[in-house]
Structure formats: C-alpha cells, structure tokens
Amino acid sequence: MKILSAKVIVCSPGRNFVTLKLVTDQGVYGIGDATLNGRELAVVAYLENHVIPCLVGMDPRRIEDIWQYLYRGAYWRRGPVTMRAIAAVDMALWDIKAKLAGMPLYQLLGGRSRDGVMVYGHANGRDIAETVDAVGQYIELGYQAIRAQTGVPGIKDAYGVGRGSLSYEPADAALPTVTGWDTAKALRHVPQLFDKLRATYGFEHQLLHDCHHRYTPREAATLGRALEPFQLFWIEDCTPAENQEAFRLIRHHTTTPLAVGEVFNTIWDVKDLIQNQWIDFVRCSVLGAGGITHLRRIADLAALYQVRTGSHGATDLSPVTMGCALHFDTWVPNFGIQEYMRHSDATDEVFPHDYRFERGLLYCGEAPGHGVDIDEALAAKHPYQPACLPVTRLEDGTLWNW
C-alpha cells in the first residue's frame, strides 16, 4: 500500500483553514488540519515544497516511521510551521489507518476511557454585566464549564471580547490591528468579575479564565491568589512560558490551578513544567504538538505527575482537529477538559463531521476514521483571505504580549 497523491486545500468559510488530503493507491484517503492562524501560507509552502514530495510512495500504515522521518529527518526541527505540517500528515495517516481497520479512531488508540468529553465554552462581554449574562446563556445551553472574559475599563479592545456570537475570530485584518493592555487595571477588575459570577450562579459550574500571556510571574501569582475564593477550574497562560521556571514562582504563591501549552510544539516545551508539577493542565493540541502520535507522549509524561490534559480548541483549529481531539480525549486516561469554541455554520458545512454536543459534553462519532471530511467543491467557494492576529501595546506604546 502506498500514498498515491497528496494535496493542500486552503479555504476561508468565515476564517482561513489549511487542510492536507492524502490519497492511497487503494482509494482510501485521510485528511489532516495544518492551520496556523495568521501564518497559514507558511505551512502551505512547507507542505507543498518539502513534505508532499517525500510522502508520495510511502506506506501510509507506517505512522510512527513517517512521524520520525518528518521530525528527525529535518535538521531544522520544531517550531509552529514544521510541527503543524507534521500534525496534518499524522492526522491524515491515523484517519486512513482507522478507515482500513473499519474502526473509529479512539478504538485504535486503546478504546474508551469515558463516554463523553467535558468541554468549556467562551462567555464574554464588554463589561461585567454583559459577561454575567453570557455565562447564563452558556448554562442554559447545558455547559458544565465556562471560560469568562470581560472588557476592562480603560483598556482598548480587551482580549477575549468577541463580536456577539458563539464563534469568535480575532484575526480581523490583512495587517495586525493594535489592542491595548494595562496590568494594574486588569488585576483590579478581573476578580470583580468572578465575585459577581459566583454571587449570581453559585459554585455548581466550573469557571475558567484566560490571561493570554499578559502577566509577569509575580503579577500572575497576585491574580491567582486574588481568585482563590472563587475556586476557578484554572487560569490559563498566565505568563509566557518560554522560560518554564517562571511557573515556579506562581505555583509557590497560589493554589489556583494553572494551565498552559497551546503555543507549545513539542514535549520539550513542557517537560520541566510537568516534571516539577508547576502546572495542573497541559493545553497542547493535536495540531500544535505534531499530531496524535506526539501528543500521546506528552499526555503519558503528564500522567506520571498527575497533570491532566486540557487541549486548545478554539476556532483557529478546523473541525478536523476537533474530531481528532475528541477521539484522543475519549481515550486518554488523564483527561481534564476540552476547549470548544463553536465554528460558524459555513465552516461546519465545508467540514461535515459526526461529533455532537449534549448537556455539556462532546461525543465523537462511530464512523471509521476521525469522523470529519471536507467538501472540496464547497471549500472552493470560500477562497483564502489574508487575516492577521492583533498586536498589543501598553499605554506608553511599548509592544506587549497579545
């Protein structure tokens, strides 16, 4: 059995997606997600110029060997472009192998560890009152866990405040727009949000908050301690973690659970965080971390230290990644939670899928493979549109972490 052909499909049904399709000489095909939000065409070039020429003629059943070939065989390893290209190949290969076996993907991974996957939605508002109302809407939809974000007085276009819909796409212009930030204002305002949420809805539902790499370690520790009375499920990305030891200080000063990892690409990016138990949840995704093959290794390492998974699942990942993530979540023993930002109707039409949402849980389907396909004719009606993520500046003009 051989890979007969491969192609990259770029489309924009409300936002840009990059999809890899591998076709075998037996007519079985698999698809994978290669989207890198705001840098999509860099991955397209990597796939078309460097990866696909190597894949044609390979045996698609040799998933591990192909993964090693694409990772070890490239002297310039790691990084978001390389690892997302590898992830796309890996997803497509697992899709093919599960189809050949006539099984849903989770069965090949080892079978079910749970029936459904707890997910969290994104509630946001321009102010606290609007966010409180949004959380109530998610509770009415059946969510057991909700991420809450609010506008902060005096901060221009605060992170996480969407445009009034369940789907949210921050990449909003051909060139980066500029948003604002002020740590002192946020540290005063964010605890007020969660005080109001607990006063309104009690402690029955899990609440989460995304800091989006905005705080220094000391500031993050201050926020974590201020939020302790409200018993958050986690605070996410509270400081940039290129220096993994930054989380040592935060861990020593707050018991609020810590989650990080959506921008990480390999096990080396989280090794110290996990081994030193400085975090509670690792948020690497199937797409960002080089596919199912590599994410399994990260999850296995995390399990040794009672760190659970909490995979990134925003709309910068296509339904292909979500389908793979749900099969992975259904299997992985140390599962924590899955992010679930709903895609637009147009995206769901281009990527038909068999996963479903019921009472706060997502369920992967039982179709052979990962259960997600692409309608190429419909995709062609949504051509690529340049769109960049914003940048952030402080009030004095200093560039900050978006």
Side-chain angles (χ1 to χ4, degrees), residues 49-70:
N49 297 329
H50 305 290
V51 173
I52 288 176
C54 299
L55 291 176
V56 174
M58 286 185 170
D59 185 341
R61 297 168 295 187
R62 298 182 62 171
I63 298 175
E64 183 66 42
D65 184 63
I66 291 175
W67 195 96
Q68 297 293 340
Y69 180 92
L70 295 175

Side-chain angles (χ1 to χ4, degrees), residues 178-301:
V178 178
T179 62
W181 181 249
D182 186 301
T183 298
K185 292 174 182 175
L187 286 175
R188 290 191 296 267
H189 194 68
V190 171
Q192 296 177 42
L193 167 65
F194 288 94
D195 185 23
K196 184 64 174 178
L197 286 172
R198 288 306 189 197
T200 304
Y201 301 113
F203 286 79
E204 181 180 353
H205 295 87
Q206 302 286 0
L207 296 178
L208 306 85
H209 182 67
D210 186 0
C211 305
H212 224 247
H213 311 279
R214 300 297 174 88
Y215 301 93
T216 67
R218 182 196 61 77
E219 293 163 350
T222 299
L223 178 63
R225 180 170 290 183
L227 294 175
E228 285 175 11
F230 312 118
Q231 300 178 24
L232 269 64
F233 189 85
W234 76 36
I235 55 173
E236 168 191 338
D237 293 341
C238 57
T239 197
E242 288 94 341
N243 171 21
Q244 296 183 45
E245 280 209 15
F247 274 76
R248 182 203 299 269
L249 184 150
I250 305 167
R251 170 65 88 198
H252 286 177
H253 290 280
T254 182
T255 58
T256 296
L258 305 174
V260 73
E262 72 179 52
V263 300
F264 293 159
N265 307 127
T266 74
I267 197 168
W268 303 106
D269 297 317
V270 296
K271 179 181 73 71
D272 294 345
L273 290 166
I274 290 171
Q275 290 181 337
N276 291 293
Q277 295 179 275
W278 293 333
I279 60 172
D280 301 278
F281 298 90
V282 59
R283 299 202 63 251
C284 300
S285 67
V286 173
L287 174 56
I292 293 168
T293 298
H294 192 57
L295 189 59
R296 291 181 75 176
R297 295 194 170 95
I298 294 174
D300 285 342
L301 175 64

